[in-house]
Amino acid sequence: MTQVLVTGANGRTGRAIVQALARASSPRVPVQVRAFLRDAAQWPAIAALGASEHAIGDMADAASVARALQGCDALVHVGPPMHPDEKAMTANFVAAARQQQLRHFVYYSVLQPLRREVRHHRLKLETEELVVESDLPYTIVQPTRYMQHLENIWKPVTEQGVHGMPFSTRVRFNVADLADLAEATARVVVESAPGAARPGAHFFATYELAGPESLSQEDMARVLSEVLGRPVTARAVPLAEMQAKARTAGLGEDRIEQMTVMNRHYDAHGMRGNPNVLRMLLGREPTPYRQYVERLARR
Ligand SMILES: NC(=O)c1ccc[n+]([C@@H]2O[C@H](COP(=O)([O-])OP(=O)(O)OC[C@H]3O[C@@H](n4cnc5c(N)ncnc54)[C@H](OP(=O)(O)O)[C@@H]3O)[C@@H](O)[C@H]2O)c1
């Protein structure tokens, strides 16, 4: 039995990974998921996704991290988004993993962390360095921007026919379906576990995980128009409007500043990538945008 600790397990990404790991478990390579949570009240929902047990802790608290990791064979570490302390938090997991001689450290990073202008990319780059220099068997996955960002603007898309994001309508992104990214991450764990055809198959690897198409907001709006059967137009939301909405939603000033820098960077460069590695890990074509939109529209 391979026991895997998943951090950030109550978040959007963590939940998808818990579910993907539970699905990837098999009689030949059985996997059990321990969810790292901040609050015991979160447990029933995460248990329903297939986790077997949970550990309560805070990523910033080294003692709780070490306790949570005890008896685990592998870790999938998903840090909180845009957090200024991501590197220090991950250092706690690296220290505990070294102490306990963890068999496999999987770090959920971001596509192209070398875009250092964006702070959380730079912090993930520095965190990757920590993981590599831990000398532990590691896999770093570098996921692209999620297709699921559409869900945040689903109401204006469906009610007003406007696809608005805070960057140019022309810059392109190789967005990916979070379900694919989670499945690929689960495969990295399971295919490296004892009992797999090639135990350790993904040790010491860094994988760029990008979606199958390079799409602009205009391309996305076109797909949405076709799937929904009514016109949807793309709109570059001004940064000031994005900031005001974020403040109304109660986000802190540091987070808003990071979102501003990130979206300014996206406005200039977008985020293109290559889907080869995601295709290899999934053993199939990654989900195209249209298929994701059709699934969302049915829901
Ligand atoms: N969104 C994207 O397109 C994208 C693309 C590539 C990579 N990523 C990366 O994916 C990661 C997760 O993003 P997400 O959108 O899934 O985030 P999320 O939904 O906000 O989830 C973050 C989780 O971390 C937990 N958490 C926060 N601080 C913690 C602490 N000090 N100790 C323990 N747990 C803590 C939160 O717990 P509570 O539930 O208790 O608040 C939450 O469950 C981020 O590192 C992000 O950079 C995202």
Side-chain angles (χ1 to χ4, degrees):
M1 176 66 68
T2 293
Q3 179 86 29
V4 189
L5 183 71
V6 177
T7 66
N10 187 49
R12 174 160 61 171
T13 307
R15 284 175 180 236
I17 291 174
V18 167
Q19 202 166 24
L21 277 167
R23 282 191 186 138
S25 178
S26 67
R28 185 164 170 202
V29 189
V31 169
Q32 267 192 0
V33 177
R34 181 183 297 173
F36 189 75
L37 303 173
R38 286 202 280 199
D39 183 347
Q42 297 163 343
W43 170 237
I46 307 307
L49 297 175
S52 317
E53 50 188 84
H54 67 290
I56 300 296
D58 192 300
M59 296 187 203
D61 170 29
S64 70
V65 165
R67 269 196 310 276
L69 208 53
Q70 228 144 44
C72 286
D73 308 287
L75 164 70
V76 178
H77 177 49
V78 181
M82 298 188 188
H83 200 290
D85 300 332
E86 166 147 21
K87 188 177 169 188
M89 287 172 170
T90 308
N92 288 334
F93 286 92
V94 168
R98 280 172 60 93
Q99 176 74 29
Q100 297 175 30
Q101 298 186 347
L102 189 78
R103 190 171 179 280
H104 191 189
F105 193 118
V106 179
Y107 175 53
Y108 196 87
S109 181
V110 73
L111 186 68
Q112 298 152 0
L114 49 72
R115 292 170 183 255
R116 283 175 289 186
E117 179 190 13
V118 182
R119 187 186 71 187
H120 68 276
H121 281 244
R122 174 173 59 73
L123 286 177
K124 280 182 158 61
L125 184 69
E126 292 174 8
T127 304
E128 288 190 4
E129 199 174 358
L130 270 185
V131 172
V132 170
E133 292 180 355
S134 72
D135 299 328
L136 290 162
Y138 70 85
T139 311
I140 294 168
V141 290
Q142 299 179 325
T144 184
R145 182 177 168 88
Y146 304 160
M147 290 179 182
Q148 273 72 6
H149 284 275
L150 172 62
E151 292 169 32
N152 304 334
I153 56 165
W154 189 240
K155 214 168 139 76
V157 165
T158 52
E159 292 179 5
Q160 291 139 37
V162 177
H163 183 287
M165 289 188 174
F167 39 77
S168 157
T169 59
R170 298 251 164 109
V171 286
R172 292 172 186 280
F173 297 78
N174 278 71
V175 286
D177 183 356
L178 173 57
D180 284 357
L181 298 170
E183 184 179 331
T185 305
R187 278 176 171 252
V188 159
V189 174
V190 172
E191 291 172 5
S192 300
R198 289 185 300 127
H202 300 288
F203 286 179
F204 306 108
T206 299
Y207 291 139
E208 286 195 330
L209 305 181
E213 307 139 294
S214 271
L215 300 173
S216 65
Q217 285 208 67
E218 289 177 5
D219 298 326
M220 294 176 191
R222 203 169 304 121
V223 172
L224 281 157
S225 302
E226 288 165 12
V227 172
L228 299 175
R230 69 190 101 118
V232 176
T233 51
R235 172 172 180 254
V237 174
L239 283 176
E241 190 178 317
M242 179 278 287
Q243 290 162 339
K245 268 201 193 128
R247 272 189 200 105
T248 309
L251 295 190
E253 285 307 314
D254 182 67
R255 180 78 183 262
I256 295 171
E257 169 65 14
Q258 297 318 311
M259 287 164 63
T260 304
V261 173
M262 178 184 78
N263 286 308
R264 203 176 279 136
H265 183 89
Y266 283 168
D267 188 68
H269 305 289
M271 180 113 140
R272 280 176 293 183
N274 185 298
N276 281 345
V277 178
L278 184 56
R279 184 181 294 125
M280 174 196 83
L281 288 172
L282 294 173
R284 60 169 169 81
E285 282 305 307
T287 306
Y289 188 69
R290 176 182 292 274
Q291 200 174 309
Y292 160 71
V293 171
E294 286 169 351
R295 195 175 82 212
L296 184 61
R298 277 198 301 273
R299 212 169 73 193

